[in-house]
Amino acid sequence: MLRQIRHLPISRPFPQFLPKRSLSASQLCSEKALPPRLKLSNADITTSYLKGTGPGGQKINKTNSAVQLIHKPTGIVVKSQATRSRSQNEKIARQLLADKVEQLLKGDESRVTLKAERKRKKKASRVKKSRRKYRELEAKGAQKGEEEEEREDLRDEEGEKRGE
Amino acid sequence: MPRIPTRTILKAYQHDPLLPLLLRECRSLESAKNELRWLRERALHMVRPASGGERAVTKYPVFGWRGLLRSMCLTRSRGMPLQYILGDQPFGDLDIKCARGVLIPRHETETITIHAANFILDRMLEDQNGNKGEKASLHILDLCTGTGCISLLLHALLSPVFPCLSIVGVDIDDAAIRVARENTERNVRLGLLSKRALSEVSFRRGDVLQCVRSRAAPEDMANIIGPSLHALWSSRCDVIISNPPYVSPAEYHDGTTSRSVRIFEPRRALVPTVNSVLAPVNDNDVQVGDLFYDRIAVLMSRLDAKLAVLECGSRLQAVRVATLCRDVLGRYDRTGKAIVDVWPVTDVDPAAHAVFIQRTRSQ
């Protein structure tokens, strides 16, 4: 919410008392919108419904609803059989196909790569943070341990002295 | 039916202990996995309904979703169609309720219906270029409607373009009519159909074979669509679409019709029921399979329909039906010209075909 307020024009009277920097610790890069999804033209796509050969229609009741799309210019093939509905499967397959084609065309600039990159960065930062935390804990633990050892050593020395 | 290799069964068991049950009916690992996923999703949904939803009413005893899933898989392994177990089938963007005694909508029918809708839209655009505003309304007759899937999908696809639609679905079976009406309400409730469908799509009981028997009667139309609509349509019907029973008695018994279909789906929806009073029982098996097409062709010429879309079981049957329709239309009116097209639904040859009959009036 604070971030939203920060983006309001400064000329507005009420947010002036707020600090100009963001209070949240999250990265600002996540605010940047992803590039829009690629729109594929219908003429480039061959749709086929996959099923076994043999008689169809009323004689057999098939539950196979798989849809396969082929993007003719690039030759990319995708298949979806996620749901029982063919129209739903077609929508899913179209999305997959658009992502794949975009990745092929734009490479590192594509939506999928950008998304994966963001995810990777987030994970890396999380891992880094957790590693730092455990390193600190370990260091603390080690310090305590050393102190205790020293104390024990002292006690032993005292005992020896008494024994003499 | 080829035997399933033991290796496949073992592999299925390793994946999920319930999978070998489904393999009995599915015959392939991939489709069995799909069905198990769909069944599991449904079982979870039925036991733990989403917030606000009621617990679905089932005929299965519910002891948690695992027990439910197991009983569903057992039922499926005995050959019960998946759609009867789950109680619905997606058809286009619609969700069609299926119940025992009513034929399950097939994927081929879905493809044909979408193609027919596009065909109608294309033709309408052409007509509008010619004479504007004439095609504001459309009257569609769906014969042997079953679950009402064709009527409802056509309404969903055409209603954004046509400000006034009128679709009548006719079926001989009372249970089918009930399910079809339920489907209308269900899809409107789910928001998949516009509210217009409630008033514009109607279903009524009618016997196609009997109605068209008396060949000279002009009151056929009233018989089929009912007197009230007859007045409204003023004897004009634009499109006849039908997925009639087209399996011949021999095909029903010689193994081309699958066991599950034979045992669980209604015979009357698959094989034209020959009543000795209506049609003489003859040895010609093919004629029995094509019985409905002859009557529909007669009805088409009687109703002066501009387009008829008929689903057929195979390429051979489609060619037969095309010839038959040409004959009948040529016999009944000599003024018009009929363009008959056979449209293959898929590239696979023995799969279902559709026959498109388009009539142009020469004036």
Side-chain angles (χ1 to χ4, degrees):
Chain A
M1 195 199 79
L2 277 174
R3 231 183 300 149
Q4 278 173 9
I5 291 170
R6 198 179 69 90
H7 284 297
L8 289 170
I10 301 297
S11 58
R12 288 262 191 100
F14 73 92
Q16 271 185 354
F17 60 88
L18 287 171
K20 274 178 193 166
R21 66 183 169 77
S22 165
L23 288 179
S24 74
S26 71
Q27 283 176 329
L28 281 171
C29 84
S30 62
E31 279 176 22
K32 214 190 321 181
L34 285 164
R37 282 212 168 83
L38 189 70
K39 289 266 187 322
L40 300 173
S41 74
N42 281 341
D44 287 347
I45 299 176
T46 323
T47 312
S48 54
Y49 303 110
L50 301 169
K51 53 181 172 184
T53 51
Q58 292 172 358
K59 291 171 200 161
I60 288 201
N61 174 22
K62 283 172 186 141
T63 54
N64 194 350
S65 58
V67 174
Q68 181 178 285
L69 300 183
I70 302 171
H71 191 239
K72 275 184 263 180
T74 54
I76 295 175
V77 182
V78 292
K79 187 182 159 190
S80 170
Q81 47 180 0
T83 66
R84 289 202 296 144
S85 156
R86 271 190 181 173
S87 54
Q88 281 297 322
N89 282 348
E90 205 170 327
K91 273 176 205 156
I92 295 168
R94 250 166 193 276
Q95 195 118 91
L96 284 175
L97 189 65
D99 285 350
K100 280 200 173 178
V101 170
E102 201 195 12
Q103 201 168 12
L104 193 76
L105 291 179
K106 294 193 191 162
D108 287 347
E109 295 291 297
S110 71
R111 214 181 142 86
V112 185
T113 324
L114 284 180
K115 258 189 182 170
E117 182 70 9
R118 263 176 213 181
K119 207 174 170 190
R120 196 187 60 75
K121 269 188 183 162
K122 253 188 193 160
K123 195 183 173 189
S125 112
R126 209 168 50 233
V127 168
K128 199 173 146 194
K129 269 183 200 161
S130 99
R131 212 181 282 145
R132 195 196 295 147
K133 177 184 157 193
Y134 282 105
R135 209 189 299 129
E136 276 168 13
L137 276 179
E138 226 166 68
K140 241 182 227 167
Q143 256 182 6
K144 237 183 209 168
E146 274 172 23
E147 279 169 15
E148 274 173 20
E149 267 177 35
E150 277 170 18
R151 239 176 268 149
E152 274 174 25
D153 285 348
L154 282 175
R155 239 177 270 146
D156 286 348
E157 277 169 24
E158 277 171 18
E160 276 167 24
K161 274 175 193 169
R162 240 174 264 152
E164 277 173 14
Chain B
M1 201 161 17
R3 202 176 66 87
I4 301 171
T6 319
R7 206 188 314 129
T8 314
I9 297 174
L10 280 174
K11 215 170 152 190
Y13 186 82
Q14 276 167 8
H15 188 266
D16 195 300
L18 287 174
L19 214 49
L21 282 177
L22 294 178
L23 207 57
R24 279 187 211 164
E25 189 54 35
C26 300
R27 314 305 295 179
S28 83
L29 202 56
E30 198 181 15
S31 71
K33 276 183 191 169
N34 277 335
E35 289 199 6
L36 183 65
R37 195 178 67 234
W38 296 326
L39 283 170
R40 180 179 290 134
E41 276 166 16
R42 181 56 59 92
L44 280 168
H45 178 76
M46 272 150 96
V47 175
R48 293 184 222 132
S51 56
E54 282 174 31
R55 189 186 185 127
V57 183
T58 60
K59 50 185 177 286
Y60 303 101
V62 176
F63 308 111
W65 69 273
R66 273 168 231 274
L68 181 65
L69 180 62
R70 199 181 154 68
S71 62
M72 279 171 157
C73 288
L74 273 170
T75 320
R76 178 76 183 125
S77 76
R78 289 186 205 110
M80 171 82 93
L82 184 75
Q83 292 87 344
Y84 286 154
I85 297 174
L86 298 177
D88 58 14
Q89 164 76 0
F91 192 78
D93 285 329
L94 305 181
D95 186 48
I96 300 289
K97 179 193 158 160
C98 301
R100 280 295 290 273
V102 185
L103 192 82
I104 297 164
R106 304 288 200 263
H107 287 305
E108 284 86 355
T109 314
E110 183 182 338
T111 318
I112 291 169
T113 311
I114 293 171
H115 187 76
N118 290 335
F119 193 89
I120 293 167
L121 289 177
D122 284 352
R123 231 169 54 108
M124 185 214 63
L125 286 179
E126 267 173 38
D127 276 20
Q128 270 198 344
N129 288 340
N131 41 357
K132 252 191 168 165
E134 205 235 333
K135 271 265 172 191
S137 68
L138 195 69
H139 300 163
I140 301 173
L141 188 58
D142 172 19
L143 300 171
C144 310
T145 184
T147 52
C149 52
I150 298 180
S151 305
L152 297 176
L153 187 57
L154 275 182
H155 190 275
L157 295 171
L158 297 178
S159 62
V161 180
F162 288 90
C164 179
L165 266 174
S166 173
I167 304 177
V168 177
V170 178
D171 203 286
I172 191 170
D173 200 68
D174 285 323
I177 297 297
R178 232 178 2 252
V179 170
R181 285 183 184 143
E182 261 178 66
N183 272 325
T184 318
E185 282 165 22
R186 175 195 179 106
N187 281 291
V188 169
R189 201 173 54 233
L190 290 171
L192 302 169
L193 265 178
S194 71
K195 283 218 170 63
R196 278 169 56 192
L198 288 175
S199 58
E200 289 181 340
V201 183
S202 61
F203 296 99
R204 54 176 272 115
R205 193 180 169 283
D207 186 346
V208 176
L209 293 180
Q210 190 142 38
C211 279
V212 196
R213 186 176 47 133
S214 48
R215 297 210 157 185
E219 63 270 12
D220 280 349
M221 181 88 170
N223 274 344
I224 283 275
I225 63 170
S228 56
L229 269 175
H230 186 224
L232 183 74
W233 283 19
S234 58
S235 303
R236 206 191 92 205
C237 170
D238 298 299
V239 182
I240 295 180
I241 187 163
S242 179
N243 175 22
Y246 56 62
V247 183
S248 73
E251 281 174 325
Y252 190 72
H253 293 293
D254 69 2
T256 44
T257 308
S258 75
R259 195 180 64 113
S260 157
V261 172
R262 260 180 294 139
I263 297 174
F264 292 95
E265 296 200 67
R267 189 179 195 272
R268 192 155 63 155
L270 299 161
V271 186
T273 312
V274 183
N275 192 330
S276 54
V277 183
L278 291 175
V281 179
N282 49 24
D283 296 31
N284 198 338
D285 182 68
V286 171
Q287 266 184 17
V288 175
D290 295 351
L291 200 61
F292 268 89
Y293 298 107
D294 177 52
R295 306 302 159 92
I296 293 171
V298 172
L299 194 70
M300 186 186 174
S301 71
R302 192 76 51 69
L303 297 185
D304 217 17
K306 293 175 196 82
L307 175 74
V309 181
L310 310 173
E311 184 179 328
C312 305
S314 64
R315 185 170 168 71
L316 276 177
Q317 189 174 32
V319 172
R320 275 202 313 270
V321 169
T323 324
L324 186 147
C325 289
R326 247 185 237 118
D327 280 0
V328 171
L329 290 175
R331 205 185 319 142
Y332 276 85
D333 63 330
R334 292 161 209 284
T335 51
K337 216 174 70 181
I339 306 165
V340 184
D341 259 336
V342 174
W343 184 67
V345 177
T346 52
D347 302 332
V348 193
D349 195 43
H353 279 61
V355 176
F356 283 73
I357 307 148
Q358 214 185 330
R359 285 167 83 217
T360 48
R361 285 242 151 261
S362 53
Q363 278 153 6

